[in-house]
Amino acid sequence: GMTQNLADPQQVRASEGKARFLRRQELDDLRFVLSSPLGRRFLWRLLTKCRVFESIFHASALIHYNAGQQDIGHFLVAEISEAGDEHLFVMMREANSKGETP
């Protein structure tokens, strides 16, 4: 059923297994996007838009908006790193060769 008996080790194990499977699936999805130059270019554009590589300081309430954007960017960087650090380096190299580095 929908309710889970937390004392039941078998249910706990099954639930952990499902979470691990879903996490693996998320990272595989990301690796698929990162395996394509087009996917990497799109993600790089997103990271740049999220101000991952620049200061978010602004002498107004805009700093909070910038911080929110950057938070998403940091999440993306962490996900890409977990999918494989080499992907981040490849993206940086590709952007650098096109003069798009931050």
Side-chain angles (χ1 to χ4, degrees), residues 23-59:
R23 182 60 184 149
R24 212 168 30 241
Q25 194 175 52
E26 287 174 350
L27 291 174
D28 285 344
D29 292 349
L30 183 54
R31 284 187 195 105
F32 179 80
V33 173
L34 287 163
S35 70
S36 152
L38 287 74
R40 289 192 298 273
R41 208 164 47 229
F42 171 74
L43 285 173
W44 186 261
R45 206 174 81 224
L46 210 50
L47 291 175
T48 305
K49 168 83 175 135
C50 288
R51 302 165 181 268
V52 169
F53 310 107
E54 59 183 84
S55 167
I56 58 163
F57 182 77
H58 202 278

Side-chain angles (χ1 to χ4, degrees), residues 1-16:
M2 287 299 285
T3 53
Q4 181 174 319
N5 178 0
L6 292 176
D8 181 352
Q10 207 169 0
Q11 275 191 338
V12 170
R13 262 198 313 279
S15 146
E16 286 171 353

Side-chain angles (χ1 to χ4, degrees), residues 70-84:
Q70 197 176 63
D71 194 47
I72 296 295
H74 289 160
F75 164 77
L76 256 178
V77 168
E79 288 291 280
I80 292 167
S81 292
E82 196 172 332

